Amino acid sequence: MTTPLERWVDEQAKLCKPDKIHWCDGTEEEARRIVEIGIKEEKIGNTPVFQELNKEAWPDTYFHRSHPTDVARTEKLTFICHPDKETAGPNNNWMHPDEAKEKLRKLFDGCMKGRTMYVLPYMMGNPDSPYAKACIQITDISYVAVSMRIMTRMNKTAIKKIGNRDDFVKGLHSVADFDPNKRFIMHFPEEHLVWSIGSGYGGNALLGKKCFSLRIASYLGLKEGWLAEHMVILGIEDPKGNVTYMTAAMPSACGKTNLAMLESALPGYKVWILGDDIAWLNVGPDGRLWAINPETGLFGVAPGTSTKTNPNMLKTLKGKKFYPTLFTNTALNTDSNEPWWEGLDGDIPKNLIDWQGKPWRAGQETKAAHPNSRFTVSIYNAPTLSKEFDNPKGVPISAIILGSRRTKLIPLVVESFDWEHGVFMGVRIGSETTAAAIHKEGVLRRDPMAMLPFCGYNMGDYFRHWLNIGKKLKNPPKIYAVNWFKVDENGKFMWPGFGENIRVLEWIVKRTQNKVGAQDTALGRMPHLKALNMKGACVSAKELKKLFEVNPAEWKAEISDINKFLDQFGSHTPKEIRNQCKKLEDSFKKECAKVH
Ligand code: GTP
Ligand code: SPV
Ligand code: MN
């Protein structure tokens, strides 16, 4: 007797017509064999899928160069296929499921001829966790098969968990011929199903990540009463050894991985990582919010990573616990066969080829590493991995941080008055765009809770869902808006960031422990400047004051932009959110917020 899983795989094979089918068991031995295939047999254009890097400097580490048109998530080609458009909301591209399937069935038909179909069974979350989900992805490229081993718990457990069930999470992926005109990432939330074709890159192709753990899972969360969020999870240990757990939502390429890996600039503090991109949040029986990270890997931005900005990441990349580590679209030092990117320590190597394989000289206008070049590495390699990482219950969350990249306007840190006000702070997140997705860089776009590209249903309903979760929490976390990216008149970052961010986190920890006061302003509660530990920081008193400056004229324009953004959700926008916006407007009318 065949199982629903076997039948499903069989149907996909009939459609895609691969030469071979390989059911992965997720072992290291198997991963080594698949990497060999990527080195010797599989190619993208003329480039082998994998190239081995300098073994002494980078053991078990491989370089991958993507198709030149395939370097980031493609939001324009990403669709949420609910039966009706209203459920998908104005935040998503929508196509009727029947139309989407008809369109893609033609593209999938025979797309794996001459190739191997890899069947990847994987768990999102510890299999012992009540919050974990059993999933299957099909792919036709070694790079994705190996990446999924790093990013998820890929092994036979998922097959056991699925057993005879039909409601497992299904993902069908093919790189096809990488034609950007035939590239689509289609989500069918009702069926827990993703169809992705034409891209081998990150969030487009590793279907456990953004496609399932955010877009589909956010919809499951709406139905089942939990939240799937684009958030870091971290534990902050104070000098007494108490650990405070928090999550932080920040749009793509706005500092999540760096925050999760933070090396404290304040003596006595330690930051433990539990996750750098995705958090699933559940209301526990104790009325607190509990977080698990469904992933097991880090798919992080390489440029800017150095021993100065992120020493723990470099240690993680050199770690040897889990096979293998990958670099995608960095530059290469051809003398030493090592990866290189802008911002890495040391002198610029003499002989470099850029991310497309062309010779590159210092001073050249284009970047050597693609700005969205990334590494894929196991979280188990991190020297700062929290001992709670595998805890099936997750960790209890005392604070939620909401970050964004704003060169003006948003102060260094502000605490919300309460849950509802905090949800509003999340709803109004706007960020200046980066290279993590294909669009013009440096333009402000509103990105509520950093979830705009990842919410699998109408965002107005999502705001309501956040408010409802708050009602179930007896002990809700405190909520904070932060901004590491304010610049001075010369365009220079005013806040040193990275390890220095602990100064803000320390204040947050002390707030959750009721050990420090705050001052009420129109925006929320701000620290008394003296309460921030600035010992040893290169920030003058004048600059620090500027980091908290609030300009009512700028806020007037901001509030009008927020309202315009909310208009598109019509009656789906909860009236509580509109009221919060009105309250903010009124308080600016009454007084100009000042920090003393
Ligand atoms: P995704 O993986 O796309 O979701 O990105 P992310 O949010 O994990 O961002 P990441 O930590 O990789 O940082 C993105 C970029 O922001 C990198 O170039 C970092 O060097 C830079 N960055 C991170 N933290 C800080 C900070 O505190 N200050 C400044 N100035 N830059 C930062
Ligand atoms: C992001 O863009 O938020 C990422 C990279 O984490 S990707 O996995 O490509 O979505
Ligand atoms: Mn991300």
Side-chain angles (χ1 to χ4, degrees):
M1 256 243 314
T2 54
T3 62
L5 168 59
E6 286 161 346
R7 280 200 293 279
W8 181 74
V9 170
D10 198 42
E11 278 164 29
Q12 312 317 304
K14 280 203 179 97
L15 175 64
C16 302
K17 307 180 178 64
D19 278 16
K20 273 188 275 183
I21 300 178
H22 177 85
W23 285 71
C24 288
D25 60 14
T27 57
E28 177 175 330
E29 198 193 357
E30 177 188 70
R32 285 185 183 276
R33 280 200 310 269
I34 297 177
V35 166
E36 273 306 298
I37 292 172
I39 293 174
K40 295 200 180 122
E41 294 171 31
E42 273 185 346
K43 284 190 173 153
I44 297 178
N46 290 322
T47 315
V49 169
F50 288 122
Q51 183 179 321
E52 189 169 16
L53 291 167
N54 184 316
K55 266 191 201 153
E56 276 80 55
W58 299 94
D60 287 339
T61 304
Y62 304 88
F63 173 74
H64 170 76
R65 189 175 289 140
S66 74
H67 189 273
T69 67
D70 188 27
V71 294
R73 280 182 295 105
T74 42
E75 294 179 9
K76 278 205 187 101
L77 308 174
T78 302
F79 288 77
I80 302 289
C81 307
H82 286 288
D84 72 300
K85 192 173 180 186
E86 183 98 359
T87 310
N91 45 299
N92 284 307
N93 299 317
W94 175 81
M95 205 183 280
H96 190 279
D98 295 343
E99 187 190 340
K101 282 192 183 156
E102 198 187 313
K103 194 178 173 80
L104 260 66
R105 208 172 276 124
K106 285 184 202 137
L107 300 179
F108 274 112
D109 191 358
C111 69
M112 295 185 188
K113 272 183 196 154
R115 305 178 71 88
T116 299
M117 175 190 258
Y118 296 98
V119 183
L120 320 172
Y122 66 99
M123 295 295 302
M124 293 315 283
N126 181 341
D128 296 333
S129 170
Y131 312 126
K133 303 277 180 196
C135 319
I136 300 287
Q137 172 167 350
I138 287 173
T139 187
D140 59 357
I141 187 161
S142 54
Y143 173 71
V144 168
V146 172
S147 298
M148 285 294 283
R149 174 170 196 268
I150 304 170
M151 297 305 296
T152 73
R153 293 167 173 90
M154 187 172 126
N155 55 52
K156 287 181 179 156
T157 312
I159 297 178
K160 266 194 229 126
K161 290 262 169 194
I162 290 169
N164 250 319
R165 298 177 69 111
D166 195 19
D167 60 353
F168 58 95
V169 177
K170 306 168 181 77
L172 174 62
H173 170 253
S174 169
V175 294
D177 52 6
F178 293 99
D179 181 349
N181 297 313
K182 293 190 222 146
R183 184 174 293 160
F184 292 98
I185 299 96
M186 302 280 196
H187 302 72
F188 306 92
E190 300 284 355
E191 296 169 70
H192 312 169
L193 171 68
V194 183
W195 276 10
S196 165
I197 189 158
S199 165
Y201 203 89
N204 288 344
L206 313 179
L207 303 186
K209 199 172 180 48
K210 299 308 192 342
C211 297
F212 171 59
S213 288
L214 290 180
R215 297 197 189 95
I216 304 269
S218 62
Y219 186 67
L220 290 178
L222 174 72
K223 302 272 145 180
E224 299 167 4
W226 54 283
L227 293 165
E229 296 297 325
H230 192 201
M231 286 178 174
V232 169
I233 311 171
L234 38 90
I236 306 206
E237 186 174 329
D238 67 16
K240 289 202 179 116
N242 298 317
V243 182
T244 304
Y245 294 98
M246 37 183 98
T247 63
M250 295 170 173
S252 300
C254 289
K256 284 183 302 302
T257 302
N258 278 275
L259 183 66
M261 285 260 145
L262 186 147
E263 170 92 356
S264 170
L266 289 178
Y269 279 88
K270 269 199 211 116
V271 175
W272 300 105
I273 183 172
L274 291 109
D276 82 322
D277 201 46
I278 296 175
W280 286 353
L281 306 174
N282 281 273
V283 180
D286 58 356
R288 285 191 295 177
L289 195 63
W290 289 74
I292 67 157
N293 171 13
E295 301 189 288
T296 55
L298 310 167
F299 181 61
V301 177
T305 308
S306 71
T307 54
K308 272 186 225 80
T309 59
N310 197 345
N312 287 324
M313 185 47 87
L314 284 167
K315 283 184 203 152
T316 305
L317 291 170
K318 298 260 179 171
K320 277 191 234 167
K321 277 201 199 117
F322 195 92
Y323 178 90
T325 294
L326 310 177
F327 285 98
T328 302
N329 290 345
T330 57
L332 278 184
N333 178 343
T334 49
D335 290 329
S336 64
N337 192 26
E338 290 183 84
W340 188 84
W341 52 84
E342 278 78 8
L344 184 62
D345 310 80
D347 297 333
I348 301 177
K350 259 214 242 83
N351 291 311
L352 275 179
I353 48 173
D354 71 7
W355 67 276
Q356 291 182 293
K358 300 191 188 104
W360 188 92
R361 293 257 163 261
Q364 198 172 311
E365 226 171 75
T366 55
K367 301 258 198 252
H370 189 280
N372 193 37
S373 55
R374 295 196 177 235
F375 45 76
T376 319
V377 63
S378 170
I379 201 167
Y380 292 105
N381 280 9
T384 53
L385 184 66
S386 164
K387 64 178 187 353
E388 298 298 325
F389 176 72
D390 277 311
N391 190 330
K393 283 200 289 198
V395 290
I397 299 303
S398 302
I400 296 176
I401 295 174
L402 307 162
S404 58
R405 185 181 284 267
R406 295 295 293 261
T407 49
K408 282 181 171 175
L409 196 90
I410 306 291
L412 184 62
V413 59
V414 184
E415 182 185 282
S416 78
F417 295 120
D418 52 33
W419 181 267
E420 188 182 298
H421 180 230
V423 174
F424 171 63
M425 278 179 164
V427 167
R428 69 158 163 71
I429 289 184
S431 199
E432 284 152 40
T433 50
T434 65
I438 303 281
H439 41 44
K440 198 160 174 273
E441 278 182 58
V443 178
L444 180 76
R445 92 160 171 178
R446 306 233 78 87
D447 189 352
M449 302 286 180
M451 279 290 280
L452 184 76
F454 308 121
C455 181
Y457 60 98
N458 192 313
M459 266 208 139
D461 301 337
Y462 168 78
F463 305 153
R464 160 75 52 215
H465 186 45
W466 262 86
L467 294 173
N468 287 343
I469 292 281
K471 288 181 196 138
K472 290 201 256 171
L473 291 166
K474 275 203 294 290
N475 251 315
K478 287 178 184 278
I479 302 181
Y480 298 83
V482 305
N483 179 20
W484 317 139
F485 297 97
K486 250 188 152 177
V487 299
D488 61 16
E489 312 75 53
N490 304 317
K492 201 180 136 272
F493 289 125
M494 285 157 67
W495 180 249
F498 302 103
E500 306 284 330
N501 293 334
I502 189 73
R503 300 176 195 279
V504 173
L505 301 182
E506 183 202 37
W507 184 73
I508 293 174
V509 167
K510 287 190 173 162
R511 286 292 295 162
T512 65
Q513 297 170 340
N514 290 318
K515 283 192 183 146
V516 67
Q519 50 187 333
D520 283 7
T521 74
L523 286 181
R525 301 196 168 119
M526 292 198 202
H528 297 284
L529 297 188
K530 280 197 222 104
L532 287 174
N533 184 348
M534 297 301 290
K535 216 168 145 197
C538 311
V539 181
S540 68
K542 203 171 132 209
E543 276 175 319
L544 189 63
K545 207 165 168 208
K546 268 183 114 176
L547 282 159
F548 286 94
E549 216 165 59
V550 176
N551 179 334
E554 282 175 8
W555 273 95
K556 204 174 155 205
E558 176 80 357
I559 289 167
S560 127
D561 194 60
I562 297 167
N563 270 318
K564 213 165 80 200
F565 176 78
L566 292 177
D567 284 346
Q568 64 181 312
F569 303 103
S571 61
H572 291 268
T573 301
K575 66 174 188 326
E576 291 90 332
I577 297 298
R578 290 288 195 181
N579 288 346
Q580 286 287 342
C581 205
K582 181 81 180 41
K583 250 199 225 164
L584 182 60
E585 197 173 5
D586 290 347
S587 44
F588 273 122
K589 276 186 197 147
K590 266 192 248 135
E591 51 144 350
C592 298
K594 279 197 193 109
V595 176
H596 307 285

